[in-house]
Amino acid sequence: MSSSRICRISCRRLAATRPTSSRYTNLRSKPPRFSNLFPFTPTRSYSSSQPRSYTSKASVTTTGNKKMTPLPGGCYCGAIKYTITLENPDSQARTSICHCSNCKKFTGGENGITTKIPKSAFQITKGKDHVKVHEADNGSGVVLHREFCDTCGGPLLEYGANAGDNAYVFYGTMEDHARGQVEPKGEFFCKLRDPWMPQIEGLFQKEEIKQ
């Protein structure tokens, strides 16, 4: 028998005795798909060249080339909802604490906290029919206009006859994240501050409104 024939026979016998375990067959099969491990379907993909962006609870809308920051709020019972839209809350809004007797009477507290904004920035989005108006002399000869809810009595805003194009929204009626964007900057009528009420550090202090 020739040597080449003997070599072919030996190769056939070696192949017949090679193990056929699943470990060897799996090496020749396709790799498993990972979709079975993650049952959800991604809704958006990101490339390494495009960093992810995150937005806070207060969304930002765009009008022309200007970004507007909406500040939502409403009355105590929820019958009235409003939105304040500002280009820059830091420069267009001023929150202050007033210790005058008129604010004490109306709010029932030691002071009244309001945020001064342009009237055009305030818009009621729900419950316009529930808005009631009260006007009276504020004690210094100026007629004070106040708006509140006819259901719960919760205040919304106020402005005097000399306020021009501005209105003063009651600070506590804004949602939590909105108040964080217009924190108080000063105190007025500090001469009428109750003895137990401490001065707030970091805010400007004025004995009267026109000091």
Side-chain angles (χ1 to χ4, degrees):
M1 182 180 296
S2 65
S3 60
S4 61
R5 181 177 176 80
I6 293 173
C7 183
R8 287 196 298 272
I9 294 173
S10 298
C11 289
R12 291 193 187 100
R13 289 177 179 176
L14 180 62
T17 58
R18 171 181 279 185
T20 58
S21 64
S22 59
R23 186 178 69 174
Y24 288 90
T25 57
N26 288 341
L27 291 176
R28 296 192 297 271
S29 62
K30 295 182 179 180
R33 296 179 63 85
F34 290 96
S35 59
N36 294 332
L37 300 178
F38 304 97
F40 62 86
T41 302
T43 57
R44 184 176 180 183
S45 60
Y46 298 88
S47 65
S48 58
S49 62
Q50 296 178 346
R52 299 188 185 189
S53 61
Y54 300 90
T55 57
S56 63
K57 188 177 178 182
S59 61
V60 177
T61 58
T62 303
T63 302
N65 295 325
K66 299 179 180 179
K67 290 185 177 180
M68 319 292 280
T69 303
L71 307 177
C75 69
Y76 175 73
C77 69
I80 301 173
K81 298 289 185 182
Y82 67 77
T83 298
I84 300 170
T85 305
L86 302 171
E87 296 175 20
N88 187 342
D90 189 57
S91 63
Q92 290 185 292
R94 187 200 68 194
T95 299
S96 57
I97 301 168
C98 182
H99 301 277
C100 76
S101 300
N102 191 285
C103 285
K104 294 184 196 305
K105 283 289 186 180
F106 184 72
T107 63
E110 194 280 336
N111 56 67
I113 307 178
T114 57
T115 302
K116 180 182 178 181
I117 61 167
K119 289 181 181 178
S120 59
F122 184 88
Q123 181 180 10
I124 293 180
T125 58
K126 173 189 173 185
K128 290 183 179 180
D129 295 340
H130 289 281
V131 177
K132 292 296 181 182
V133 175
H134 177 267
E135 292 183 338
D137 190 319
N138 67 352
S140 62
V142 177
V143 175
L144 188 61
H145 172 104
R146 284 192 172 115
E147 297 181 8
F148 58 95
C149 175
D150 67 354
T151 301
C152 64
L156 297 171
L157 59 82
E158 66 180 15
Y159 55 86
N162 54 0
D165 295 329
N166 299 310
Y168 296 77
V169 178
F170 284 92
Y171 179 73
T173 64
M174 286 183 274
E175 300 296 336
D176 292 348
H177 67 276
R179 294 197 304 274
Q181 297 185 58
V182 289
E183 295 180 350
K185 296 180 179 179
E187 296 184 78
F188 291 100
F189 283 104
C190 294
K191 67 179 184 180
L192 300 177
R193 185 200 315 270
D194 286 1
W196 55 266
M197 174 61 69
Q199 175 178 303
I200 301 177
E201 296 183 4
L203 306 186
F204 68 75
Q205 312 288 326
K206 293 189 176 183
E207 294 299 304
E208 296 183 1
I209 196 72
K210 293 182 179 181
Q211 182 183 6

